[in-house]
Amino acid sequence: MPLITLPYISVQPDWDQVVRDVSTNTTPSEQFWVSCYETGKQSVHAKVAVEKSSSPSKPQLKGIEGVEVKPINSISFSLSCPSYSLKDILIVGPKHKLSPFQGKELGCINVSPNGDLYAASSGKDISIGKLNNEQAVRTLEGHLDDVTVVQFFPSNQAVLLSGASDFQVKIWSVLDGSNPVTLKGHTSAITDLDIVGRGKNVLSSSRDGTVRLWHCGTGTTIAVLGDYGTIVNKISVVALPAKYMSVVVEGTDEKESETADKLVLVGLSDGTVRGIHLGTKEELFSTLPKDSAITAIAFDDNTSTLCTGDLHGVVEVFSLSDTSKPLVHWKRNDHSVTALTTRLNENGDRVLCVSNADGSVYQTNSFELVLKQGSVALEVEYTGNELEPVRSMVILPSTETIGFNRIVCGVRDGSINIY
């Protein structure tokens, strides 16, 4: 399967402000730039003219010098570039933008299960705030070094898990800011966290090459999963696929809860992803090693497919029935993949969202089509990150009024963009 090269559309980060300036009569007309890139092709650098129209809330957009555009609303338009055979790619700006750290660097973010609160780190501190209005709730202080990962417990937005470069994992009460439990045992920085079921057990990974299963109530280690001799960058707990359900689980520790039917995906710096049965603690599969560290992983329950992103920008999709080679793989440039996640789009299709260290965030076409055709296409380009690395990407739950998943991106410059 050849490596597919996807195009990259770069748009002036404040293009949506340009549109608002014209729609509010701040200026009668204005322009913003747009560029299209693809490895091996000559780049296209163009402009979009924004002028008043008969509908004040929807100014006229006109592509200049190689692109065609159609306005949709104040934060989105479609773009076509004949030179790249790109047709009606959706360009989307942030619906809301929060700046809780006033210029300080952002480390990571997470969002509460109901989409109400965010937790974001800057240095050693964690800020808790309202996602809809940036109202600060409180600051959690206690880590001795930079916080690298935060995660709300799935059953309770009032409890937060955090890991840091001080080798520690902490459990916090969001209600009063207390830290009743600190989990100690790793010998290097924490790289990732995940929560098992309702949260009696949690998992942590570290630069020390291990994954630890913890009992939250006693703060003790139940098991050390693997000792890989290389950095564990990412972990993810998913439901055990049907093909592994026949594995017999015996001798489970009494402090374990909901581990028998879980699979742990482990992304390593040697370029492999390992699948570990959380009940038996045994490794079930491994992808082949490569010379680029795994930096992002995602799992699609509907199709039992594993998605990986690496340090050199390559995204690969594997079927768990055969992890020896990807079903499809692609890249846009050499910038590291920082996050992967699937979401439901406005048409009800499951799609894959990818963020990179160059600040780009994009969305593929229907994941079902990607698997069926063994190919991939660019569908949406999310803008507004000004070349700053996207540190975290979170999918908000759908609601009765919004039947699709919004995206929340935490950017190094301290901004939180909601699409």
Side-chain angles (χ1 to χ4, degrees):
M1 176 65 67
L3 182 67
I4 298 168
T5 301
L6 277 186
Y8 172 27
I9 301 171
S10 179
V11 184
Q12 183 173 314
D14 65 346
W15 72 267
D16 49 339
Q17 183 60 52
V18 172
V19 172
R20 284 193 292 271
D21 287 345
V22 175
S23 64
T24 58
N25 295 318
T26 302
T27 180
S29 64
E30 205 168 340
Q31 294 181 351
F32 60 85
W33 58 261
V34 59
S35 298
C36 300
Y37 304 93
E38 186 175 323
T39 302
K41 291 186 177 182
Q42 184 174 356
S43 56
V44 174
H45 302 286
K47 293 181 180 179
V48 176
V50 185
E51 300 177 347
K52 291 182 180 179
S53 69
S54 56
S55 174
S57 62
K58 191 176 181 181
Q60 179 180 345
L61 271 62
K62 182 180 180 181
I64 304 172
E65 302 169 359
V67 297
E68 302 166 3
V69 298
K70 300 174 185 177
I72 296 175
N73 53 43
S74 62
I75 58 169
S76 64
F77 65 93
S78 68
L79 179 143
S80 298
C81 181
S83 299
Y84 278 26
S85 300
L86 292 175
K87 180 70 173 177
D88 294 332
I89 305 302
L90 185 62
I91 310 298
V92 179
K95 184 176 179 61
H96 300 294
K97 192 166 187 172
L98 312 180
S99 300
F101 296 118
Q102 300 179 344
K104 293 181 181 179
E105 189 171 305
L106 180 145
C108 56
I109 65 165
N110 196 244
V111 178
S112 62
N114 65 358
D116 183 34
L117 298 177
Y118 69 82
S121 72
S122 182
K124 295 181 282 189
D125 298 335
I126 303 167
S127 178
I128 307 295
K130 295 282 189 179
L131 194 64
N132 61 353
N133 62 10
E134 202 173 350
Q135 176 187 349
V137 175
R138 62 179 34 85
T139 299
L140 308 180
E141 300 176 337
H143 278 292
L144 305 176
D145 208 338
D146 288 349
V147 175
T148 54
V149 56
V150 290
Q151 186 167 350
F152 282 93
F153 277 69
S155 60
N156 191 342
Q157 69 171 349
V159 183
L160 183 78
L161 190 66
S162 67
S165 295
D166 61 5
F167 313 171
Q168 298 182 94
V169 176
K170 289 181 176 289
I171 299 174
W172 304 86
S173 167
V174 174
L175 297 177
D176 61 14
S178 63
N179 167 215
V181 179
T182 297
L183 310 176
K184 297 181 180 181
H186 282 294
T187 59
S188 192
I190 307 302
T191 56
D192 206 2
L193 301 167
D194 210 346
I195 296 165
V196 182
R198 290 165 292 181
K200 291 184 178 181
N201 298 147
V202 299
L203 285 162
S204 60
S205 64
S206 169
R207 292 180 64 87
D208 65 14
T210 67
V211 178
R212 285 178 176 259
L213 175 66
W214 304 88
H215 181 244
C216 295
T218 60
T220 57
T221 299
I222 297 173
V224 177
L225 311 180
D227 190 357
Y228 292 107
T230 188
I231 299 169
V232 182
N233 289 320
K234 291 291 178 181
I235 55 174
S236 181
V237 180
V238 301
L240 192 68
K243 67 174 293 185
Y244 299 118
M245 285 297 187
S246 60
V247 176
V248 178
V249 179
E250 297 178 342
T252 302
D253 191 292
E254 62 180 11
K255 295 191 291 294
E256 290 186 47
S257 177
E258 301 178 85
T259 60
D261 60 349
K262 300 295 189 300
L263 176 72
V264 185
L265 301 172
V266 183
L268 301 175
S269 287
D270 66 2
T272 65
V273 175
R274 314 296 180 96
I276 300 175
H277 192 304
L278 189 54
T280 66
K281 317 299 183 290
E282 298 295 325
E283 189 174 290
L284 298 175
F285 67 84
S286 173
T287 61
L288 295 177
K290 57 181 183 177
D291 61 0
S292 187
I294 299 297
T295 54
I297 52 178
F299 185 74
D300 183 58
D301 289 319
N302 296 325
T303 55
S304 288
T305 48
L306 166 67
C307 306
T308 72
D310 72 21
L311 188 63
H312 294 144
V314 176
V315 178
E316 296 183 311
V317 180
F318 296 87
S319 168
L320 289 195
S321 62
D322 181 7
T323 57
S324 64
K325 58 183 178 180
L327 298 171
V328 58
H329 56 166
W330 68 88
K331 69 182 298 183
R332 302 214 293 180
N333 51 41
D334 293 328
H335 292 280
S336 172
V337 177
T338 58
L340 293 169
T341 187
T342 57
R343 69 179 281 261
L344 287 179
N345 66 11
E346 290 79 350
N347 297 323
D349 296 325
R350 186 160 296 278
V351 293
L352 184 67
C353 296
V354 185
S355 66
N356 290 85
D358 63 351
S360 67
V361 181
Y362 68 95
Q363 178 178 300
T364 69
N365 56 329
S366 163
F367 200 59
E368 182 180 341
L369 283 179
V370 170
L371 297 176
K372 182 177 181 180
Q373 299 175 356
S375 186
V376 65
L378 176 66
E379 183 179 82
V380 182
E381 196 84 59
Y382 296 95
T383 67
N385 295 324
E386 302 191 50
L387 301 180
E388 287 283 348
V390 175
R391 290 282 177 79
S392 303
M393 182 166 57
V394 182
I395 300 301
L396 293 181
S398 59
T399 65
E400 291 184 2
T401 55
I402 302 177
F404 58 92
N405 301 126
R406 291 199 179 280
I407 305 171
V408 180
C409 291
V411 189
R412 185 180 64 179
D413 65 3
S415 62
I416 299 174
N417 295 334
I418 306 169
Y419 298 97

